[in-house]
């Protein structure tokens, strides 16, 4: 059996704005990393590895908008999706 803690956050709660902003920033980072990977596939006919995507994304505003651990895992998920 797994214990689960469930939280209900009303839309008027101030935490909703923070979570929406984080989700929006993660979406932008995901789209930027996908664009970079797609361009490599289209123009170079190869899938770039995680290290290359991370190196190119670390200086971008999308990457800097999120905490480092979150941004790292968003970029890693994009790379894993393309290599699988």
């Amino acid at each position: 059996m797994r214990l689960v803690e469930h939280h209900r956050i009303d839309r008027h709660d101030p935490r909703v704005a923070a979570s929406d902003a984080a989700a929006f920033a993660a979406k932008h980072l995901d789209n930027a990393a996908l664009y970079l990977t797609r361009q490599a596939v289209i123009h170079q006919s190869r899938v770039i590895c995680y290290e290359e995507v991370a190196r190119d994304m670390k200086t971008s505003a999308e990457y800097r908008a999120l905490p480092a651990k979150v941004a790292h895992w968003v970029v890693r998920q994009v790379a894993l999706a393309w290599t699988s």
Side-chain angles (χ1 to χ4, degrees):
M1 179 168 74
R2 298 178 75 189
L3 296 177
V4 176
E5 190 171 333
H6 187 230
H7 296 273
R8 288 184 180 242
I9 299 175
D10 189 63
R11 64 181 168 169
H12 303 293
D13 193 318
R15 294 177 289 181
V16 171
S19 65
D20 277 348
F24 200 65
K27 181 187 78 157
H28 280 304
L29 178 60
D30 185 65
N31 285 340
L34 278 172
Y35 179 79
L36 189 68
T37 306
R38 284 184 63 232
Q39 292 303 310
V41 169
I42 292 169
H43 296 296
Q44 300 170 3
S45 300
R46 68 180 186 96
V47 177
I48 55 177
C49 64
Y50 162 75
E51 289 80 14
E52 291 179 66
V53 177
R55 183 190 63 224
D56 293 340
M57 294 304 300
K58 280 190 180 186
T59 58
S60 69
E62 293 88 2
Y63 194 92
R64 299 281 182 189
L66 290 168
K69 190 181 283 188
V70 175
H72 163 78
W73 280 105
V74 170
V75 173
R76 183 170 287 281
Q77 285 179 335
V78 170
L80 286 174
W82 276 88
T83 56
S84 64

